[in-house]
Coordinates of all heavy atoms in Angstrom, one line a residue:
A1364 N -17.6 13.4 -24.3 CA -17.4 13.7 -22.9 C -16.0 13.3 -22.4 O -15.5 12.4 -23.0 CB -18.4 13.1 -22.0
M1365 N -15.4 14.1 -21.5 CA -14.1 13.7 -21.0 C -14.2 12.4 -20.2 O -15.2 12.2 -19.6 CB -13.6 14.8 -20.1 CG -13.1 16.0 -20.9 SD -12.5 17.3 -19.8 CE -11.0 16.6 -19.1
K1366 N -13.1 11.7 -20.1 CA -13.1 10.5 -19.2 C -12.9 11.0 -17.8 O -12.3 12.0 -17.5 CB -12.0 9.6 -19.7 CG -12.2 9.0 -21.0 CD -11.1 8.0 -21.4 CE -11.4 7.3 -22.7 NZ -10.3 6.4 -23.1
F1367 N -13.4 10.1 -16.9 CA -13.2 10.4 -15.4 C -11.8 10.8 -15.1 O -11.5 11.7 -14.4 CB -13.7 9.2 -14.7 CG -13.4 9.3 -13.2 CD1 -14.3 10.0 -12.4 CD2 -12.3 8.8 -12.6 CE1 -14.1 10.1 -11.0 CE2 -12.1 8.9 -11.2 CZ -13.0 9.5 -10.4
Q1368 N -10.8 9.9 -15.6 CA -9.4 10.2 -15.3 C -8.9 11.5 -15.7 O -8.1 12.2 -15.1 CB -8.6 9.0 -15.9 CG -8.6 9.0 -17.4 CD -8.4 7.6 -18.0 OE1 -9.2 6.7 -17.7 NE2 -7.3 7.4 -18.7
D1369 N -9.4 12.0 -16.9 CA -9.0 13.3 -17.4 C -9.6 14.4 -16.6 O -9.0 15.5 -16.4 CB -9.4 13.4 -18.9 CG -8.7 12.3 -19.8 OD1 -7.6 12.0 -19.5 OD2 -9.4 11.8 -20.7
I1370 N -10.9 14.2 -16.2 CA -11.5 15.3 -15.4 C -10.8 15.5 -14.1 O -10.5 16.6 -13.7 CB -13.0 14.9 -15.1 CG1 -13.8 14.9 -16.4 CG2 -13.6 15.9 -14.1 CD1 -15.2 14.2 -16.3
V1371 N -10.4 14.3 -13.4 CA -9.7 14.4 -12.2 C -8.4 15.1 -12.3 O -8.0 16.0 -11.6 CB -9.5 13.0 -11.6 CG1 -8.6 13.0 -10.3 CG2 -10.9 12.4 -11.2
R1372 N -7.6 14.7 -13.3 CA -6.3 15.2 -13.5 C -6.4 16.7 -13.9 O -5.7 17.6 -13.3 CB -5.6 14.5 -14.7 CG -4.1 14.9 -14.8 CD -3.4 14.3 -16.0 NE -3.6 12.9 -16.1 CZ -4.3 12.3 -17.1 NH1 -4.9 13.0 -18.0 NH2 -4.5 11.0 -17.1
Q1373 N -7.3 17.1 -14.8 CA -7.4 18.5 -15.1 C -7.8 19.4 -14.0 O -7.2 20.4 -13.7 CB -8.4 18.6 -16.3 CG -8.7 20.1 -16.7 CD -9.7 20.2 -17.8 OE1 -9.8 19.4 -18.7 NE2 -10.5 21.2 -17.7
K1374 N -8.9 19.0 -13.2 CA -9.3 19.8 -12.1 C -8.3 19.9 -11.0 O -8.1 21.0 -10.4 CB -10.6 19.1 -11.5 CG -11.8 19.1 -12.5 CD -12.5 20.4 -12.6 CE -13.7 20.4 -13.4 NZ -14.2 21.7 -13.7
R1375 N -7.6 18.8 -10.8 CA -6.5 18.8 -9.7 C -5.4 19.8 -10.1 O -5.0 20.6 -9.3 CB -5.9 17.4 -9.6 CG -4.8 17.4 -8.6 CD -4.2 16.0 -8.4 NE -3.6 15.4 -9.6 CZ -2.5 15.8 -10.2 NH1 -1.8 16.8 -9.7 NH2 -2.1 15.2 -11.3
K1376 N -5.0 19.8 -11.4 CA -4.0 20.7 -11.8 C -4.4 22.1 -11.8 O -3.7 23.0 -11.5 CB -3.5 20.3 -13.2 CG -2.7 19.0 -13.2 CD -2.1 18.6 -14.5 CE -1.1 17.4 -14.4 NZ -0.6 17.0 -15.7
E1377 N -5.7 22.4 -12.2 CA -6.2 23.7 -12.2 C -6.2 24.3 -10.8 O -6.0 25.5 -10.6 CB -7.7 23.7 -12.7 CG -7.9 23.6 -14.2 CD -9.3 23.5 -14.6 OE1 -10.2 23.6 -13.7 OE2 -9.6 23.2 -15.8
L1378 N -6.3 23.5 -9.8 CA -6.3 23.9 -8.4 C -4.9 23.9 -7.8 O -4.6 24.3 -6.7 CB -7.2 23.0 -7.5 CG -8.7 23.1 -7.8 CD1 -9.4 22.0 -7.2 CD2 -9.2 24.4 -7.3
G1379 N -3.9 23.5 -8.6 CA -2.5 23.5 -8.2 C -2.2 22.5 -7.1 O -1.3 22.7 -6.3
L1380 N -3.0 21.4 -7.1 CA -2.8 20.3 -6.1 C -1.9 19.3 -6.7 O -2.0 18.9 -7.9 CB -4.1 19.7 -5.7 CG -5.1 20.5 -4.9 CD1 -6.4 19.8 -4.8 CD2 -4.5 20.7 -3.5
T1381 N -1.0 18.7 -5.9 CA -0.2 17.5 -6.4 C -1.1 16.3 -6.1 O -2.0 16.4 -5.3 CB 1.1 17.4 -5.6 OG1 0.8 17.2 -4.2 CG2 2.0 18.7 -5.8
Q1382 N -0.7 15.2 -6.7 CA -1.4 13.9 -6.3 C -1.3 13.6 -4.9 O -2.2 13.2 -4.2 CB -0.8 12.8 -7.2 CG -1.1 12.8 -8.6 CD -0.6 11.6 -9.4 OE1 0.2 10.9 -9.0 NE2 -1.2 11.5 -10.6
E1383 N -0.1 13.9 -4.3 CA 0.1 13.7 -2.9 C -0.8 14.5 -2.0 O -1.4 14.0 -1.0 CB 1.6 14.0 -2.5 CG 2.6 13.0 -3.0 CD 2.9 13.2 -4.5 OE1 2.5 14.2 -5.1 OE2 3.5 12.3 -5.1
Q1384 N -1.0 15.8 -2.4 CA -1.9 16.7 -1.6 C -3.3 16.2 -1.7 O -4.0 16.2 -0.7 CB -1.7 18.1 -2.1 CG -0.4 18.8 -1.7 CD -0.2 20.1 -2.4 OE1 -0.6 20.3 -3.6 NE2 0.4 21.1 -1.8
A1385 N -3.7 15.9 -2.9 CA -5.1 15.4 -3.1 C -5.3 14.1 -2.3 O -6.4 14.0 -1.7 CB -5.4 15.2 -4.6
A1386 N -4.3 13.2 -2.4 CA -4.5 12.0 -1.6 C -4.6 12.2 -0.1 O -5.4 11.6 0.5 CB -3.2 11.1 -1.9
R1387 N -3.8 13.1 0.4 CA -3.8 13.4 1.8 C -5.2 13.9 2.3 O -5.7 13.5 3.3 CB -2.7 14.4 2.2 CG -2.3 14.4 3.7 CD -1.2 15.3 4.0 NE 0.0 15.1 3.1 CZ 0.5 16.1 2.4 NH1 0.0 17.3 2.4 NH2 1.6 15.8 1.6
R1388 N -5.7 14.8 1.5 CA -7.0 15.4 1.8 C -8.1 14.4 1.8 O -9.1 14.5 2.5 CB -7.3 16.5 0.9 CG -6.4 17.7 1.1 CD -7.1 19.0 0.7 NE -6.1 20.0 0.4 CZ -6.4 21.2 -0.2 NH1 -7.6 21.5 -0.5 NH2 -5.5 22.1 -0.4
L1389 N -8.0 13.3 0.9 CA -9.0 12.3 0.8 C -8.8 11.1 1.6 O -9.6 10.2 1.7 CB -9.1 11.9 -0.7 CG -9.6 13.0 -1.7 CD1 -9.4 12.6 -3.1 CD2 -11.1 13.3 -1.4
G1390 N -7.6 11.1 2.3 CA -7.3 9.9 3.1 C -7.0 8.7 2.4 O -7.2 7.6 2.8
V1391 N -6.4 8.8 1.2 CA -6.0 7.7 0.4 C -4.5 7.8 0.1 O -3.9 8.9 0.4 CB -6.8 7.6 -0.9 CG1 -8.2 7.4 -0.6 CG2 -6.6 8.8 -1.8
S1392 N -3.9 6.8 -0.6 CA -2.5 6.9 -0.9 C -2.3 7.6 -2.2 O -3.2 7.6 -3.1 CB -1.9 5.5 -1.1 OG -2.5 4.8 -2.2
P1393 N -1.1 8.3 -2.4 CA -0.9 8.9 -3.7 C -1.0 7.9 -4.8 O -1.3 8.3 -5.9 CB 0.6 9.5 -3.5 CG 0.7 9.7 -2.1 CD -0.1 8.6 -1.4
A1394 N -0.6 6.7 -4.6 CA -0.7 5.7 -5.6 C -2.2 5.5 -6.1 O -2.4 5.2 -7.3 CB -0.2 4.3 -5.1
A1395 N -3.1 5.6 -5.2 CA -4.5 5.5 -5.5 C -4.9 6.6 -6.5 O -5.5 6.4 -7.5 CB -5.4 5.5 -4.3
V1396 N -4.5 7.8 -6.2 CA -4.8 9.0 -7.0 C -4.2 8.8 -8.4 O -4.8 9.0 -9.4 CB -4.3 10.3 -6.4 CG1 -4.6 11.5 -7.3 CG2 -5.1 10.5 -5.1
S1397 N -2.9 8.3 -8.4 CA -2.2 8.0 -9.7 C -3.0 7.0 -10.5 O -3.1 7.2 -11.7 CB -0.8 7.5 -9.3 OG -0.2 7.2 -10.5
K1398 N -3.5 6.0 -9.8 CA -4.3 4.9 -10.6 C -5.6 5.5 -11.1 O -6.0 5.2 -12.2 CB -4.6 3.8 -9.7 CG -3.4 2.9 -9.4 CD -3.8 1.7 -8.6 CE -2.6 0.7 -8.4 NZ -2.9 -0.4 -7.5
W1399 N -6.3 6.4 -10.4 CA -7.5 7.0 -10.9 C -7.2 7.8 -12.1 O -7.9 7.7 -13.1 CB -8.1 8.0 -9.9 CG -8.4 7.4 -8.5 CD1 -8.6 6.0 -8.3 CD2 -8.7 8.1 -7.3 NE1 -8.9 5.9 -6.9 CE2 -8.9 7.1 -6.3 CE3 -8.7 9.4 -7.0 CZ2 -9.2 7.5 -5.0 CZ3 -9.0 9.8 -5.7 CH2 -9.2 8.8 -4.7
E1400 N -6.1 8.6 -12.1 CA -5.7 9.4 -13.2 C -5.2 8.7 -14.4 O -5.1 9.3 -15.5 CB -4.8 10.5 -12.7 CG -5.4 11.5 -11.8 CD -4.5 12.7 -11.4 OE1 -3.4 12.8 -12.0 OE2 -4.9 13.5 -10.6
S1401 N -4.7 7.5 -14.2 CA -4.2 6.7 -15.3 C -5.3 5.7 -15.9 O -5.0 5.0 -16.8 CB -2.9 5.9 -15.0 OG -3.2 5.0 -13.9
G1402 N -6.4 5.8 -15.2 CA -7.5 4.9 -15.7 C -7.4 3.5 -15.2 O -8.2 2.6 -15.7
Q1403 N -6.5 3.2 -14.3 CA -6.3 1.8 -13.8 C -7.4 1.4 -12.8 O -7.7 0.2 -12.7 CB -5.0 1.6 -13.2 CG -3.8 1.7 -14.2 CD -2.5 1.6 -13.4 OE1 -2.3 0.7 -12.6 NE2 -1.6 2.6 -13.7
S1404 N -8.0 2.4 -12.1 CA -9.0 2.1 -11.1 C -9.9 3.3 -10.9 O -9.5 4.4 -11.4 CB -8.4 1.6 -9.8 OG -7.7 2.7 -9.2
L1405 N -11.0 3.1 -10.3 CA -11.9 4.2 -9.9 C -11.9 4.3 -8.4 O -11.7 3.3 -7.7 CB -13.3 3.9 -10.4 CG -13.5 4.0 -11.9 CD1 -14.9 3.5 -12.2 CD2 -13.3 5.5 -12.3
P1406 N -12.2 5.5 -7.8 CA -12.3 5.6 -6.4 C -13.5 4.8 -5.8 O -14.4 4.5 -6.6 CB -12.6 7.1 -6.1 CG -12.3 7.8 -7.4 CD -12.5 6.7 -8.5
D1407 N -13.4 4.4 -4.6 CA -14.5 3.8 -3.9 C -15.7 4.8 -4.0 O -15.5 6.0 -4.0 CB -14.1 3.6 -2.4 CG -15.2 2.8 -1.7 OD1 -15.2 1.6 -1.8 OD2 -16.1 3.4 -1.0
T1408 N -16.9 4.3 -4.1 CA -18.0 5.2 -4.3 C -18.2 6.2 -3.1 O -18.6 7.3 -3.3 CB -19.3 4.4 -4.4 OG1 -19.4 3.5 -3.3 CG2 -19.4 3.6 -5.7
S1409 N -17.7 5.8 -1.9 CA -17.8 6.7 -0.8 C -16.9 8.0 -1.0 O -17.1 9.0 -0.3 CB -17.4 6.0 0.5 OG -16.1 5.6 0.5
L1410 N -16.0 7.9 -1.9 CA -15.0 9.0 -2.1 C -15.5 10.0 -3.2 O -14.9 11.0 -3.4 CB -13.7 8.5 -2.5 CG -12.9 7.9 -1.4 CD1 -11.6 7.2 -1.9 CD2 -12.5 9.0 -0.4
F1411 N -16.6 9.6 -4.0 CA -17.0 10.5 -5.1 C -17.4 11.9 -4.6 O -16.9 12.9 -5.2 CB -18.1 9.8 -5.9 CG -17.7 8.7 -6.8 CD1 -18.5 7.6 -6.9 CD2 -16.6 8.9 -7.6 CE1 -18.1 6.6 -7.8 CE2 -16.2 7.9 -8.5 CZ -16.9 6.7 -8.6
A1412 N -18.2 12.0 -3.6 CA -18.6 13.3 -3.1 C -17.5 14.1 -2.6 O -17.3 15.3 -3.0 CB -19.8 13.1 -2.1
P1413 N -16.6 13.5 -1.7 CA -15.5 14.3 -1.2 C -14.5 14.7 -2.3 O -14.0 15.8 -2.3 CB -14.8 13.3 -0.2 CG -15.8 12.4 0.2 CD -16.8 12.2 -1.0
L1414 N -14.4 13.8 -3.3 CA -13.5 14.1 -4.5 C -14.1 15.3 -5.3 O -13.3 16.2 -5.7 CB -13.3 12.9 -5.3 CG -12.4 13.0 -6.6 CD1 -11.0 13.4 -6.2 CD2 -12.4 11.7 -7.4
A1415 N -15.4 15.3 -5.5 CA -16.0 16.4 -6.2 C -15.8 17.7 -5.5 O -15.5 18.7 -6.1 CB -17.5 16.1 -6.4
R1416 N -16.0 17.7 -4.1 CA -15.8 18.9 -3.3 C -14.4 19.4 -3.4 O -14.1 20.6 -3.6 CB -16.2 18.6 -1.9 CG -17.7 18.6 -1.6 CD -18.0 18.7 -0.2 NE -17.6 17.6 0.6 CZ -18.3 16.5 0.8 NH1 -19.5 16.4 0.3 NH2 -17.8 15.5 1.5
L1417 N -13.4 18.4 -3.3 CA -12.0 18.8 -3.3 C -11.7 19.4 -4.7 O -10.9 20.4 -4.7 CB -11.2 17.5 -3.1 CG -9.6 17.7 -3.3 CD1 -9.1 18.6 -2.1 CD2 -8.9 16.3 -3.3
L1418 N -12.3 19.0 -5.7 CA -11.9 19.5 -7.1 C -12.8 20.6 -7.5 O -12.8 21.1 -8.6 CB -12.1 18.3 -8.1 CG -11.1 17.1 -7.9 CD1 -11.4 16.0 -8.9 CD2 -9.6 17.6 -7.9
H1419 N -13.7 21.1 -6.6 CA -14.5 22.3 -6.8 C -15.4 22.0 -8.0 O -15.6 22.8 -8.9 CB -13.7 23.5 -7.0 CG -13.0 24.0 -5.8 ND1 -12.5 25.3 -5.7 CD2 -12.6 23.3 -4.7 CE1 -11.9 25.4 -4.5 NE2 -11.9 24.2 -3.9
T1420 N -16.0 20.8 -8.1 CA -16.9 20.4 -9.1 C -18.1 19.7 -8.6 O -18.2 19.6 -7.3 CB -16.1 19.6 -10.2 OG1 -17.0 19.5 -11.4 CG2 -15.8 18.2 -9.7
D1421 N -19.0 19.2 -9.4 CA -20.1 18.5 -8.9 C -20.1 17.0 -9.4 O -19.3 16.7 -10.3 CB -21.4 19.2 -9.2 CG -21.6 19.3 -10.7 OD1 -21.6 18.3 -11.4 OD2 -21.6 20.5 -11.2
L1422 N -20.9 16.2 -8.8 CA -20.9 14.8 -9.2 C -21.3 14.6 -10.7 O -20.7 13.7 -11.3 CB -21.8 14.0 -8.3 CG -21.3 13.8 -6.9 CD1 -22.4 13.1 -6.0 CD2 -20.1 13.0 -6.9
N1423 N -22.2 15.4 -11.2 CA -22.6 15.2 -12.6 C -21.4 15.4 -13.5 O -21.2 14.6 -14.5 CB -23.7 16.2 -13.0 CG -25.0 15.8 -12.4 OD1 -25.3 14.7 -12.1 ND2 -25.9 16.8 -12.4
T1424 N -20.6 16.4 -13.2 CA -19.4 16.6 -14.0 C -18.4 15.5 -13.8 O -17.8 15.0 -14.8 CB -18.7 18.0 -13.6 OG1 -19.7 19.0 -13.8 CG2 -17.5 18.3 -14.5
L1425 N -18.1 15.2 -12.6 CA -17.2 14.2 -12.2 C -17.5 12.8 -12.9 O -16.7 12.1 -13.3 CB -17.1 14.0 -10.7 CG -15.8 13.3 -10.1 CD1 -14.6 14.0 -10.5 CD2 -16.0 13.2 -8.6
L1426 N -18.8 12.5 -12.9 CA -19.2 11.2 -13.3 C -19.8 11.2 -14.7 O -20.5 10.3 -15.2 CB -20.3 10.6 -12.4 CG -19.9 10.5 -10.9 CD1 -21.0 9.9 -10.1 CD2 -18.6 9.7 -10.8
S1427 N -19.5 12.3 -15.5 CA -20.1 12.4 -16.8 C -19.7 11.2 -17.7 O -20.4 10.9 -18.7 CB -19.7 13.7 -17.5 OG -18.3 13.8 -17.6
F1428 N -18.6 10.6 -17.4 CA -18.1 9.5 -18.1 C -19.1 8.3 -18.1 O -19.1 7.4 -18.9 CB -16.7 9.0 -17.6 CG -16.8 8.2 -16.3 CD1 -16.7 6.9 -16.3 CD2 -17.0 8.9 -15.1 CE1 -16.7 6.2 -15.1 CE2 -17.0 8.2 -13.9 CZ -16.9 6.8 -13.9
E1429 N -20.0 8.3 -17.1 CA -21.0 7.2 -17.0 C -22.3 7.5 -17.7 O -23.1 6.6 -17.8 CB -21.3 6.9 -15.5 CG -20.2 6.2 -14.8 CD -20.5 5.8 -13.4 OE1 -21.5 6.4 -12.8 OE2 -19.9 5.0 -12.8
E1430 N -22.5 8.7 -18.2 CA -23.7 9.1 -18.8 C -24.0 8.2 -20.0 O -23.3 8.3 -21.0 CB -23.8 10.6 -19.1 CG -24.3 11.4 -18.0 CD -24.2 12.9 -18.3 OE1 -24.2 13.2 -19.5 OE2 -24.2 13.7 -17.4
E1431 N -25.1 7.5 -20.0 CA -25.6 6.8 -21.1 C -27.1 7.2 -21.3 O -27.7 7.5 -20.3 CB -25.5 5.2 -20.9 CG -24.1 4.7 -20.7 CD -23.4 4.7 -22.1 OE1 -24.1 4.6 -23.1 OE2 -22.2 4.8 -22.0
P1432 N -27.6 7.1 -22.5 CA -29.0 7.4 -22.7 C -29.8 6.4 -21.8 O -29.6 5.2 -21.9 CB -29.2 7.2 -24.2 CG -27.9 7.2 -24.8 CD -26.9 6.8 -23.8
D1433 N -30.7 7.0 -21.0 CA -31.5 6.1 -20.2 C -32.8 5.7 -20.9 O -33.3 6.5 -21.6 CB -31.9 6.9 -18.9 CG -32.4 6.0 -17.8 OD1 -33.4 5.3 -18.0 OD2 -31.8 6.0 -16.7
E1434 N -33.2 4.5 -20.7 CA -34.4 4.0 -21.4 C -35.6 4.9 -21.1 O -36.3 5.2 -22.0 CB -34.7 2.6 -20.8 CG -33.8 1.5 -21.3 CD -33.8 1.2 -22.7 OE1 -34.8 1.4 -23.4 OE2 -32.8 0.7 -23.3
R1435 N -35.7 5.4 -19.9 CA -36.8 6.2 -19.5 C -36.8 7.6 -20.2 O -37.8 8.3 -20.3 CB -36.9 6.4 -18.0 CG -37.3 5.2 -17.3 CD -36.9 5.3 -15.8 NE -35.5 5.7 -15.6 CZ -34.9 5.5 -14.5 NH1 -35.4 5.1 -13.4 NH2 -33.6 5.8 -14.4
D1436 N -35.7 8.0 -20.8 CA -35.6 9.3 -21.4 C -35.9 9.3 -22.9 O -36.1 10.3 -23.5 CB -34.1 9.9 -21.3 CG -33.8 10.1 -19.8 OD1 -34.7 10.3 -19.0 OD2 -32.6 10.1 -19.5
R1437 N -36.1 8.1 -23.4 CA -36.4 8.0 -24.8 C -37.9 8.3 -25.1 O -38.7 8.3 -24.1 CB -36.1 6.6 -25.3 CG -34.6 6.3 -25.1 CD -34.0 5.3 -26.1 NE -32.6 5.1 -25.9 CZ -32.0 4.0 -25.6 NH1 -32.7 2.9 -25.5 NH2 -30.7 4.0 -25.4
A1438 N -38.2 8.4 -26.3 CA -39.6 8.6 -26.7 C -40.5 7.5 -26.1 O -40.1 6.4 -26.1 CB -39.8 8.7 -28.2
P1439 N -41.7 7.9 -25.6 CA -42.6 6.9 -25.0 C -43.0 5.8 -26.0 O -43.2 6.2 -27.2 CB -43.8 7.7 -24.6 CG -43.5 9.1 -24.8 CD -42.3 9.2 -25.6
A1440 N -43.0 4.6 -25.6 CA -43.4 3.5 -26.5 C -44.9 3.6 -26.7 O -45.6 4.2 -25.9 CB -43.1 2.2 -25.9
S1441 N -45.4 3.1 -27.8 CA -46.8 3.2 -28.1 C -47.6 2.5 -27.0 O -47.1 1.4 -26.5 CB -47.2 2.6 -29.4 OG -46.7 1.2 -29.5
G1442 N -48.7 3.0 -26.6 CA -49.5 2.4 -25.6 C -49.1 2.8 -24.2 O -49.7 2.3 -23.2
R1443 N -48.0 3.6 -24.1 CA -47.6 4.0 -22.7 C -47.9 5.5 -22.6 O -47.0 6.3 -22.2 CB -46.1 3.8 -22.6 CG -45.7 3.6 -21.1 CD -44.2 3.1 -21.0 NE -43.3 4.2 -21.5 CZ -42.0 4.0 -21.5 NH1 -41.4 2.9 -21.1 NH2 -41.2 5.0 -21.9
G1444 N -49.1 5.9 -22.9 CA -49.5 7.3 -22.9 C -49.5 7.9 -21.5 O -49.4 7.2 -20.5
L1445 N -49.6 9.2 -21.5 CA -49.5 9.9 -20.2 C -50.9 9.8 -19.5 O -51.9 9.8 -20.1 CB -49.2 11.4 -20.4 CG -47.9 11.7 -21.0 CD1 -47.7 13.2 -21.4 CD2 -46.8 11.3 -20.0

């Protein structure tokens, strides 16, 4: 899976947005966007949904870097029948 920083950079460039334009629309500094794209930091959680909308993507795509196999998705343990 792509890293968060790569998804943000790729989607932003596909839309022809500069870091400054993206920052202005999200109400953050261009330095913040630069840090997200270089992997130095992540956006505040309150910005994930607006960022996904800005980049014309969804949260699952944007946050795919966090996907780990969940315990509940594994085969049922013995004795935990339906």
Side-chain angles (χ1 to χ4, degrees):
M1365 286 176 70
K1366 292 183 176 177
F1367 175 84
Q1368 64 210 62
D1369 299 324
I1370 295 168
V1371 172
R1372 188 184 311 112
Q1373 179 183 320
K1374 297 282 186 189
R1375 175 180 61 75
K1376 289 185 173 178
E1377 283 174 6
L1378 291 165
L1380 289 170
T1381 65
Q1382 289 184 343
E1383 290 76 14
Q1384 289 169 325
R1387 198 177 311 124
R1388 293 207 202 169
L1389 293 167
V1391 298
S1392 68
V1396 176
S1397 176
K1398 283 183 178 178
W1399 304 341
E1400 293 188 4
S1401 62
Q1403 292 176 50
S1404 67
L1405 288 172
D1407 188 81
T1408 51
S1409 65
L1410 285 171
F1411 282 138
L1414 181 59
R1416 283 195 295 273
L1417 176 67
L1418 298 176
H1419 295 199
T1420 190
D1421 58 63
L1422 287 174
N1423 284 340
T1424 303
L1425 197 61
L1426 304 182
S1427 62
F1428 74 104
E1429 286 187 341
E1430 270 176 22
E1431 294 289 332
D1433 194 300
E1434 291 294 332
R1435 288 164 306 199
D1436 295 335
R1437 299 206 179 121
S1441 57
R1443 206 172 66 180
L1445 297 173

